[in-house]
Amino acid sequence: MKKTSTRLADGRELIYYDLRDDTVRDAVDRRPLERTVTTSEVRRDVLLGDSVAIASHRQGRIYHPPVDQCPLCPTTGDRLSEIPDSSYDVVVFENRFPSLAGDSGRCEVVCFTSDHDASFASLTEEQVALVLDAWTDRTSELSHLPSVEQVFCFENRGEEIGVTLGHPHGQIYAYPFTTPRTALMLRSLATHKEATGGENLFDSVLERELAGERVVLEGEHWAAFVPYAAHWPYEVHLYPKRRVPDLLGLDEAARTEFPKVYLELLRRFDRIFGEGEPPTPYISAWHQAPFGTLEEFEGVSRDDFALHLELFTIRRTSGKLKFLAGSESGMSVFINDVPPERAAERLREVAS
């Protein structure tokens, strides 16, 4: 992998990740952009104990542009985009309309390929390995920013999810706090560790699932399963079999096997609802240990956390979505219409 860092016309950082070490990246952003001004602010909800990002400037972000005006495609001739060069393998750049900025963290866009009509599932294993390298590198770099406590790499796929740009891409949020979902895991981890005299909850969950009926696929170094208490109609958790706290902890064997396993998982997702159905909308989310202190979670260290990926769709059956209505949105109590055992069975049935 070759990494080349440059600056866009408004001062935002852009990084090329290339498969070839001899690739030269010297294209200049020719757009007449002014410096980006953001209004991002993080406010604490004292009743719930969580935080909300207020980012009114995002109202002006690009919304479903025509294909010939896609800002994530390479620059060609006089059609100028966010990527100054005429081609690329993987690109990461600071979001022009970030939810988090400055002392409130940082948001980045990850372009998986220059091919506008591709999807993550259509990438080659070599391309996926490069994306994994980019995720890992950005996790490392962002963890050193003084305002950052947790790094979250994710992909939203499909208009039903709320995606406003059709080009294959994901995002990275670098939060200035430990996210509520991670905090819940850490509290459960601490409680279980104390109650069992030191047993790791993540290890126990993985061992239990591998011995059960909800395993979707298993490799030498990775395992994917539908969790016992899945929140979403089709939800899969992908774990490395050797527990590590973040992407930086993956060894070479796990990194080598990941592209094959993950691509198979994504391709099965696209086959859940049968032939002729539109691509399955999904959210793919990496859960990594926070980089800040874990003093409030007594007895727990970063090494107790288990890196894992959660992949789920909001489509519950052909042509029907799972909406977060009263119980989910009002009380955070999910009601799942698809038994996890049946979801796992279906994901095994559609193996390639």
Side-chain angles (χ1 to χ4, degrees):
M1 178 192 78
K2 181 181 180 181
K3 176 183 174 183
T4 306
S5 180
T6 185
R7 292 282 170 180
L8 297 173
D10 55 9
R12 289 175 294 130
E13 185 178 18
L14 180 143
I15 306 160
Y16 294 98
Y17 294 90
D18 286 296
L19 293 167
R20 292 174 55 95
D21 290 337
D22 59 353
T23 303
V24 176
R25 298 296 185 187
D26 55 8
V28 176
D29 185 4
R30 294 180 280 132
R31 296 173 298 172
L33 298 179
E34 297 181 355
R35 288 275 173 173
T36 301
V37 178
T38 63
T39 57
S40 181
E41 174 190 0
V42 173
R43 297 184 181 181
R44 184 76 173 170
D45 185 323
V46 296
L47 288 179
L48 295 179
D50 59 12
S51 299
V52 177
I54 310 296
S56 60
H57 63 277
R58 284 174 54 79
Q59 290 281 34
R61 65 187 185 274
I62 299 170
Y63 187 80
H64 293 304
V67 173
D68 62 356
Q69 296 177 32
C70 174
L72 306 185
C73 287
T75 289
T76 53
D78 292 330
R79 196 192 76 170
L80 310 180
S81 75
E82 289 278 64
I83 295 91
D85 216 325
S86 59
S87 66
Y88 64 84
D89 291 334
V90 173
V91 165
V92 177
F93 60 87
E94 288 184 76
N95 198 320
R96 191 177 176 189
F97 301 96
S99 302
L100 307 165
D103 293 339
S104 297
R106 175 158 157 154
C107 291
E108 298 182 341
V109 176
V110 184
C111 297
F112 303 136
T113 171
S114 60
D115 183 356
H116 182 89
D117 297 319
S119 68
F120 202 115
S122 71
L123 300 181
T124 66
E125 291 185 18
E126 185 180 36
Q127 288 175 299
V128 175
L130 184 61
V131 174
L132 178 61
D133 286 342
W135 281 332
T136 305
D137 180 71
R138 296 315 301 153
T139 296
S140 176
E141 292 292 325
L142 293 170
S143 72
H144 290 98
L145 297 180
S147 63
V148 172
E149 189 166 312
Q150 185 172 1
V151 178
F152 176 45
C153 307
F154 64 101
E155 180 192 3
N156 297 329
R157 192 270 190 99
E159 291 188 18
E160 299 97 325
I161 297 292
V163 174
T164 57
L165 297 175
H167 196 103
H169 74 288
Q171 300 180 66
I172 301 175
Y173 277 23
Y175 297 102
F177 50 79
T178 297
T179 60
R181 189 173 178 84
T182 302
L184 286 173
M185 293 187 209
L186 291 169
R187 292 190 189 100
S188 297
L189 191 62
T191 300
H192 185 82
K193 189 174 185 179
E194 182 180 8
T196 59
E199 186 178 283
N200 185 279
L201 180 57
F202 285 111
D203 292 350
S204 299
V205 167
L206 182 57
E207 182 180 359
R208 182 189 69 191
E209 293 292 0
L210 287 179
E213 59 182 316
R214 289 179 297 275
V215 174
V216 174
L217 61 88
E218 184 178 356
E220 184 179 354
H221 304 284
W222 293 87
F225 57 87
V226 177
Y228 171 74
H231 289 59
W232 299 94
Y234 291 91
E235 174 183 339
V236 176
H237 293 191
L238 177 63
Y239 277 69
K241 290 185 176 179
R242 183 179 70 87
R243 173 166 43 91
V244 295
D246 52 41
L247 290 165
L248 283 73
L250 292 174
D251 60 22
E252 194 58 35
R255 300 182 71 83
T256 299
E257 187 182 69
F258 172 77
K260 181 178 181 179
V261 173
Y262 187 49
L263 285 172
E264 172 63 18
L265 201 54
L266 290 181
R267 290 164 184 169
R268 291 191 192 190
F269 252 61
D270 272 345
R271 293 193 290 268
I272 291 173
F273 304 106
E275 295 294 330
E277 288 290 321
T280 301
Y282 65 73
I283 292 175
S284 177
W286 280 110
H287 291 265
Q288 306 192 79
F291 287 95
T293 60
L294 302 181
E295 294 175 357
E296 64 179 294
F297 309 103
E298 190 173 349
V300 171
S301 70
R302 288 193 80 250
D303 289 337
D304 290 318
F305 194 86
L307 167 76
H308 61 285
L309 181 144
E310 296 185 9
L311 173 68
F312 61 89
T313 178
I314 62 171
R315 187 179 293 164
R316 57 187 174 87
T317 189
S318 180
K320 297 179 181 178
L321 301 181
K322 164 65 178 176
F323 291 102
L324 301 189
S327 186
E328 292 87 356
S329 296
M331 283 294 162
S332 295
V333 178
F334 275 68
I335 300 169
N336 190 349
D337 302 311
V338 180
E341 293 73 22
R342 174 55 191 146
E345 182 182 19
R346 178 58 182 160
L347 285 162
R348 290 192 297 268
E349 288 175 350
V350 295
S352 58

